[in-house]
Amino acid sequence: MDNSKLHTQLAKLFPKEQVFTDEFSCLVKGTDAGLYRLIPKAVVKVNSEEEVIRLLQFCNRENISVTFKAAGTSLSGQTISDSILMEIGQGFEFSAITENGKTATFGVGLTGTAANRMLQRYRRKLGPKPASINSAKIGGILANNASGSSYGIKYNSYNTVKSMRIIFADGTLLDTSDNESRKQFMETHPEFIEKINALHLEATENKEIKNRISTKFNLKNTCGYGVNSLIDFSDPVDILQHLMIGSEGTLGFISQATFETVHDARLKATAMIYFPNLRDVCQAILPLRSCSVSAAELMDRNALQAVEEQAGMPAELKLLPENASALLIDTSADDNETLSAQIREIEEKLAHIETLFPIRFTTDNSLYNLYWNVRNGLFTSAAAARPRNTACVIEDIAFEAEVLGDALTDVRDLLVRTGYADAVMWGHLLDGNVHFTVFPDINSPEGIQKYAQFMHELCSLVALKHHGSLKAEHGTGRNMAPFVEKEWGTEIYGLMKRIKSAFDPQRILNPGVIINDDKDVFIKNLKNIPSANPIIDKCIECGFCEVTCPSKNLTMTPRQRIVAYRYLKPKPISYSLDETCATDGLCGIACPVGIDTGTLVKELRWENVGKWGNFIAGSIAANMDKVSSTVRQLLKVPHTVARIIGYNRMENIARGLFKVGDGLFPLWTRYTPSGAAKIKQDIFPADPSASSASSGSPLVVYFPSCITRTMGTVPAQNEAGDTPAKMLSVLQKAGYTVIIPEGKESLCCGMAFSSKGFRKQAKKKESELNDALLEASRNGELPVVCDMSPCLLHMRETLDPRLKLYDQVEFIHDFLLDKLTFEKQPISIAIHTTCSSTKMHLEEKLKTVAELCAEKVIVPDDVYCCGWAGDRGFFYPELNNSALAPLKHGIGDATEGFSNSRTCEIGLSINSGVAYKSLVYLVDRAAEGR
């Protein structure tokens, strides 16, 4: 079926906004984290089981193949297609917690982290904990039988799923928790059930097959289908339910699953233990398996060298000998006595093994996080340091404990011999599960051949010599499909082929994955990695950046913007790529190699500002005082009119003007601030009643941003005084004499100019502010506090390092808590951590201050960047609305909201129906000077 006909057919079945057949959308949506690329003919977003059934029935009828995609973080080529790609939409982001958290049902569109946040209040969590858990969705966690560092086989998806709802290739729905549904399915699919029963009998009655399956699944194993289902269960529905786990979308679609959750102990301790070599660290497996250990993470010398130069890493990393290895051990309990006993037992069990330093456990939170930062930084550092234009491949193998030392030594020798000596090796020691990176040059035939030869030798070493697993937890995909038979043998591989035929007789579900007769498929359709821009050249398209992106459900994600920039020519400047990018930088935090896609978008804006834009920006920069004064007066007008004709009518008029103006007029709402009061002096003495005032009050420089100098309050806030007034009040109560820089009306940090691409004007304003703050602070002697977190972050990035710069939340937390007396207000409030605050690690400080001031503090789940993005919320309100879609539900019974960015507070108010304002309002209300 040609593309135009396919689009016509699909458009009859789904709303037009859910069907994508254009080159741009198919390219960017068809990308996943693996090293392969296929471009789908169509992408269909589905939001309900009914829509999935409709699509599968169409594909079954027309004999068109279809592939399912959740987060697209799979590494082995599982979620790409050159036919129809089915993308899971927001309709599958639902949950139900039961039995006080012991069981939980999740839609497959939720991320693992989102699910764990819901379980946290019950001190429970999911058993599977893949490294991608922040981004990976329940659908992918199930489809790949994810496990991770914490619990290995015992608590993987296979062993913790109680029931699921499955939609098969013919569109039939089965609910395995419903006896009637099970009965009906068996009656309507007798041939299918007969084939499952026959497979079960063959696997259990053939002793050799049964023993091999049992032995192979003593290890972590996701290579091929989960044929352990055939020997672990006798009921055909139970068998097919467990066959679905790890089936990578080749047998059917799971729409939801109910899990048995795992207890999450309150207290944790960790130790970083160093060993002379890999063999020595492998000796720790068997002793540790008899201890209460929640994680035991192996790191080889290359891994440790990859992070040793990073800030905050332990000093001993640089002192380790050439062949040293490390083991990060984690143990947890609900009380200190039990935790101490577990630590003693681990130390005793490892006492006979040589270590480079004495074993020391810590419960100190900062040291605990430091050690885990070493572990979590491995992949980041290795991928960032790889040679240009190379791919990043993470292999994933497992061995029995008895052979692990020999096996890893052989793997390291193979890596050196085949030209991948720089490979970084780490893994989950308790499971004998090891990951390592290789960086093949897949842009050249020689590089591809070198990689192919390595894979053939690796598979022989793992599967034949040491009888290990070729894929322990990353799934088979296209990457390992040609080698499944080598690991399992012809008979069991034959069972797997019959499983595929029983579930999917027309082979329309994700063809080429797991079962593939093409022995070279693992080196076909490889991603070309072009040099596009130094900002993004290290991107491996993993998708970790997507979950926090404010435009992810509106237009594009950071990964998709990078793919579009890399592969589409000329470079696309568009509504999707540019205008709806908030440039908030949260993608850079989530990215394993630290790529801030917003920086790329800003660069595109810089290249396209034009002479007229430069002239206007230059005029504003040169006349900031006059512009601020004019805007202050203009902001008062709509509120004056609204008080006469009513706010509902005024908002209707504003919406009409916004629509007619098509980007000329900003969208006004009742939460758009009125004008602020002008600050008329530069020195504000301390409150005489403050305790510190009598002994010579301390000095602080306060820079009220151009936004807070311009934008005041709104009637819905029920507050007298704007942000600068409240900031001054709090500082004076704490006994500070406040200095405001001279020429304040003309000062601006330059961020607004920079984000729009006006570099020259941004530099001018940055320089002016820098000079003013140095003068006011006595060349950095006095602290400087700013009342807008985005401005403060920009100031830290651009101004003189001698300046001691603080956000309002940070300054209150670090300097004022001992100078103020707090009385908790009898209110329930919501707080929002802005993107800039997240980057400055102010989340806990914001919460701490808020909890001193209010009886109940709510942090809404799944709310990240608000998408206001400076002034973008005025002109692209759909970005703000999409980013904050979960907010109204998330605030619960909160009657007020607080943050630390005046513009963000506008969008938060609009989308919650609760007036958000600066945290200083709450502090001023709850605190008095001592």
Side-chain angles (χ1 to χ4, degrees):
M1 188 181 293
D2 63 53
N3 282 22
S4 60
K5 186 177 179 184
L6 181 60
H7 182 274
T8 302
Q9 295 275 42
L10 292 171
K12 291 177 183 176
L13 297 172
F14 300 95
K16 62 180 182 180
E17 64 272 14
Q18 291 176 225
V19 178
F20 308 87
T21 55
D22 61 287
E23 178 191 12
F24 184 94
S25 298
C26 287
L27 171 68
V28 301
K29 288 178 174 290
T31 297
D32 77 355
L35 67 157
Y36 308 97
R37 190 179 308 286
L38 293 174
I39 299 176
K41 292 183 175 68
V43 179
V44 180
K45 180 174 282 190
V46 292
N47 286 301
S48 67
E49 288 181 339
E50 192 276 329
E51 289 184 346
V52 175
I53 291 168
R54 200 185 311 158
L55 180 59
L56 288 182
Q57 287 176 339
F58 167 76
C59 291
N60 193 53
R61 185 171 63 249
E62 300 292 336
N63 198 25
I64 298 173
S65 64
V66 59
T67 295
F68 312 135
K69 180 182 177 185
T73 56
S74 300
L75 295 166
S76 303
Q78 295 98 315
T79 56
I80 57 173
S81 171
D82 57 4
S83 181
I84 293 178
L85 185 70
M86 189 185 87
E87 183 178 271
I88 296 172
Q90 291 173 272
F92 290 96
E93 297 176 12
F94 56 84
S95 63
I97 313 297
T98 46
E99 297 183 78
N100 203 31
K102 290 182 180 178
T103 57
T105 300
F106 298 113
V108 291
L110 280 174
T111 65
T113 292
N116 280 337
R117 272 200 298 265
M118 297 174 200
L119 291 167
Q120 198 171 27
R121 70 198 69 168
Y122 305 101
R123 298 227 60 86
R124 309 288 295 181
K125 60 185 176 181
L126 292 175
K129 189 188 176 184
S132 58
I133 193 166
N134 290 339
S135 302
K137 296 183 178 180
I138 297 296
I141 289 172
L142 291 167
N144 291 293
N145 191 20
S147 46
S149 62
S150 293
Y151 299 107
I153 298 167
K154 184 179 180 182
Y155 293 117
N156 64 9
S157 300
Y158 181 90
N159 287 312
T160 57
V161 167
K162 286 187 66 177
S163 64
M164 60 176 66
R165 288 171 68 90
I166 310 165
I167 302 172
F168 294 92
D170 63 358
T172 303
L173 173 66
L174 167 64
D175 183 348
T176 66
S177 69
D178 186 310
N179 288 332
E180 186 58 36
S181 180
R182 292 168 73 110
K183 179 183 175 185
Q184 188 175 2
F185 184 82
M186 293 180 72
E187 289 173 353
T188 57
H189 292 71
E191 290 183 14
F192 185 10
I193 297 299
E194 187 179 332
K195 289 176 181 178
I196 295 296
N197 284 329
L199 288 162
H200 163 66
L201 288 173
E202 189 166 337
T204 52
E205 291 180 355
N206 185 317
K207 217 173 250 191
E208 186 178 338
I209 288 177
K210 184 177 180 181
N211 288 341
R212 181 156 178 77
I213 290 173
S214 180
T215 300
K216 293 289 289 181
F217 279 101
N218 285 332
L219 289 174
K220 277 186 182 179
N221 198 317
T222 61
C223 185
Y225 288 119
V227 287
N228 50 335
S229 309
L230 300 176
I231 65 172
D232 290 345
F233 302 94
S234 56
D235 184 287
V237 174
D238 290 339
I239 292 171
L240 67 85
Q241 169 176 290
H242 286 83
L243 281 170
M244 287 295 301
I245 298 169
S247 64
E248 301 175 27
T250 64
L251 302 183
F253 176 75
I254 304 169
S255 63
Q256 70 174 50
T258 300
F259 293 84
E260 292 180 349
T261 63
V262 175
H263 176 61
D264 186 14
R266 182 173 59 91
L267 303 174
K268 303 179 193 303
T270 193
M272 182 74 85
I273 308 172
Y274 303 99
F275 298 82
N277 53 57
L278 274 173
R279 288 184 185 276
D280 287 341
V281 75
C282 291
Q283 291 181 43
I285 296 180
L286 295 177
L288 286 176
R289 282 181 177 173
S290 64
C291 301
S292 295
V293 175
S294 42
E297 295 295 282
L298 165 72
M299 291 163 273
D300 77 347
R301 188 68 186 100
N302 279 9
L304 298 171
Q305 283 177 332
V307 297
E308 66 183 22
E309 296 295 338
Q310 292 184 11
M313 290 296 107
E316 63 264 24
L317 293 186
K318 295 181 181 180
L319 305 176
L320 298 175
E322 182 180 351
N323 295 316
S325 294
L327 189 63
L328 178 62
I329 299 177
D330 220 44
T331 185
S332 56
D334 288 313
D335 60 82
N336 286 309
E337 185 178 346
T338 303
L339 187 65
S340 297
Q342 290 173 186
I343 291 171
R344 284 196 302 273
E345 182 184 23
I346 294 167
E347 291 172 340
E348 289 167 6
K349 292 285 179 70
L350 297 183
H352 69 286
I353 303 174
E354 181 185 357
T355 59
L356 296 175
F357 304 103
I359 299 173
R360 294 190 193 91
F361 274 86
T362 182
T363 56
D364 176 75
N365 195 52
S366 59
L367 196 53
Y368 181 94
N369 290 332
L370 173 63
Y371 287 151
W372 274 101
N373 284 342
V374 175
R375 165 63 181 86
N376 295 332
L378 300 182
F379 174 61
T380 304
S381 301
R386 75 187 193 277
R388 259 184 100 154
N389 304 124
T390 58
C392 181
V393 181
I394 309 173
E395 289 302 341
D396 168 41
I397 53 181
F399 302 98
E400 293 286 358
E402 292 78 8
V403 304
L404 185 62
D406 290 337
L408 294 189
T409 301
D410 286 350
V411 171
R412 173 54 72 190
D413 290 344
L414 174 64
L415 288 165
V416 172
R417 180 166 51 80
T418 54
Y420 297 119
D422 57 349
V424 169
M425 189 180 289
W426 72 97
H428 318 309
L429 188 76
L430 292 180
D431 301 308
N433 175 201
V434 176
H435 307 303
F436 59 89
T437 58
V438 291
F439 307 123
D441 176 9
I442 59 175
N443 295 320
S444 71
E446 297 79 16
I448 293 172
Q449 188 54 43
K450 174 183 170 183
Y451 173 64
Q453 182 62 34
F454 166 76
M455 286 294 290
H456 280 289
E457 291 193 45
L458 175 72
C459 291
S460 294
L461 188 158
V462 174
L464 302 182
K465 182 177 181 180
H466 293 293
H467 307 291
S469 300
L470 291 173
K471 285 291 182 183
E473 56 183 4
H474 290 173
T476 309
R478 287 167 169 76
N479 180 236
M480 203 54 71
F483 306 102
V484 175
E485 187 172 7
K486 176 175 280 192
E487 173 167 341
W488 284 100
T490 303
E491 280 190 298
I492 296 176
Y493 186 63
L495 293 180
M496 293 182 182
K497 293 175 83 169
R498 286 162 56 195
I499 287 168
K500 172 66 173 174
S501 296
F503 277 80
D504 181 22
Q506 289 186 255
R507 295 182 175 270
I508 63 168
L509 300 180
N510 208 6
V513 168
I514 297 184
I515 304 297
N516 198 316
D517 295 329
D518 184 351
K519 298 305 179 186
D520 290 328
V521 68
F522 76 107
I523 52 171
K524 290 182 177 178
N525 303 116
L526 295 169
K527 283 180 181 174
N528 177 42
I529 310 291
S531 291
N533 188 302
I535 297 170
I536 60 167
D537 282 345
K538 292 295 184 183
C539 175
I540 57 175
E541 299 177 11
C542 67
F544 284 15
C545 57
E546 295 187 326
V547 68
T548 58
C549 179
S551 63
K552 66 180 183 288
N553 294 318
L554 177 67
T555 52
M556 297 175 74
T557 67
R559 169 167 62 177
Q560 292 169 350
R561 289 185 170 97
I562 288 173
V563 169
Y565 186 90
R566 270 180 170 167
Y567 301 103
L568 294 180
K569 296 179 180 178
K571 299 306 180 193
I573 309 300
S574 67
Y575 172 79
S576 296
L577 190 144
D578 173 19
E579 292 171 358
T580 52
C581 177
T583 66
D584 57 23
L586 290 187
C587 50
I589 297 175
C591 174
V593 292
I595 296 168
D596 178 356
T597 312
T599 304
L600 175 70
V601 173
K602 287 178 184 178
E603 186 172 280
L604 290 173
R605 292 172 185 171
W606 290 332
E607 292 170 359
N608 293 274
V609 292
K611 290 183 179 179
W612 179 240
N614 264 312
F615 172 77
I616 294 174
S619 299
I620 293 172
N623 299 280
M624 183 65 74
D625 54 344
K626 297 181 182 65
V627 171
S628 297
S629 179
T630 302
V631 173
R632 267 198 295 267
Q633 299 310 313
L634 289 174
L635 286 172
K636 296 175 182 178
V637 174
H639 286 282
T640 302
V641 175
R643 281 192 285 269
I644 298 169
I645 67 172
Y647 274 88
N648 289 340
R649 185 175 295 178
M650 186 64 208
E651 284 185 326
N652 288 334
I653 293 170
R655 277 193 292 269
L657 287 171
F658 176 76
K659 190 174 180 179
V660 171
D662 192 25
L664 182 62
F665 302 110
L667 179 63
W668 184 93
T669 74
R670 68 187 64 209
Y671 294 108
T672 304
S674 185
K678 186 174 181 179
I679 303 172
K680 296 180 179 178
Q681 61 192 79
D682 295 337
I683 304 291
F684 292 83
D687 186 334
S689 64
S691 59
S692 59
S694 59
S695 58
S697 66
L699 301 174
V700 63
V701 176
Y702 167 40
F703 170 57
S705 69
C706 57
I707 293 294
T708 56
R709 296 196 312 268
T710 305
M711 294 183 173
T713 60
V714 296
Q717 286 181 337
N718 294 316
E719 296 277 4
D722 47 36
T723 300
K726 296 297 178 182
M727 191 78 228
L728 287 165
S729 174
V730 168
L731 291 171
Q732 289 175 294
K733 282 181 184 179
Y736 277 86
T737 292
V738 184
I739 302 168
I740 296 183
E742 290 185 14
K744 54 188 173 294
E745 287 297 311
S746 296
L747 296 178
C748 167
C749 71
M751 183 187 65
F753 296 97
S754 176
S755 66
K756 289 179 172 55
F758 300 112
R759 281 177 164 172
K760 181 181 176 182
Q761 295 82 357
K763 291 288 184 188
K764 171 182 167 63
K765 301 314 291 183
E766 290 160 11
S767 178
E768 290 173 357
L769 179 60
N770 192 66
D771 292 344
L773 292 181
L774 281 173
E775 182 178 346
S777 68
R778 302 172 185 172
N779 288 321
E781 180 185 332
L782 303 178
V784 177
V785 62
C786 178
D787 54 19
M788 277 278 291
S789 64
C791 299
L792 189 278
L793 177 61
H794 186 76
M795 289 159 63
R796 282 185 173 174
E797 294 170 342
T798 58
L799 302 191
D800 194 309
R802 287 177 293 171
L803 292 167
K804 296 189 276 286
L805 302 167
Y806 298 92
D807 170 79
Q808 54 175 300
V809 169
E810 187 177 25
F811 194 80
I812 291 169
H813 180 277
D814 292 358
F815 292 91
L816 305 190
L817 297 189
D818 62 344
K819 297 178 174 62
L820 296 169
T821 301
F822 291 87
E823 181 179 347
K824 282 194 178 186
Q825 304 297 294
I827 53 175
S828 175
I829 67 166
I831 57 173
H832 176 75
T833 304
T834 61
C835 328
S836 45
S837 297
T838 298
K839 289 194 233 179
M840 294 186 287
H841 308 291
L842 299 182
E843 304 98 315
E844 288 304 314
K845 292 183 179 183
L846 174 61
K847 190 176 181 185
T848 297
V849 175
E851 287 176 340
L852 287 171
C853 300
E855 286 187 352
K856 184 177 180 181
V857 177
I858 298 168
V859 183
D861 288 337
D862 299 317
V863 176
Y864 306 101
C865 171
C866 71
W868 194 267
D871 65 354
R872 216 147 275 261
F874 288 122
F875 297 96
Y876 303 98
E878 64 274 22
L879 174 61
N880 178 239
N881 298 339
S882 180
L884 293 181
L887 180 61
K888 195 157 193 172
H889 172 75
I891 63 170
D893 63 354
T895 56
E896 297 181 67
F898 296 92
S899 189
N900 55 342
S901 169
R902 188 67 192 93
T903 48
C904 297
E905 290 152 15
I906 302 169
L908 291 161
S909 301
I910 292 170
N911 286 281
S912 67
V914 168
Y916 274 73
K917 44 194 172 287
S918 169
L919 184 72
V920 295
Y921 282 89
L922 180 64
V923 174
D924 188 53
R925 193 190 313 169
E928 293 296 335
R930 291 188 175 179

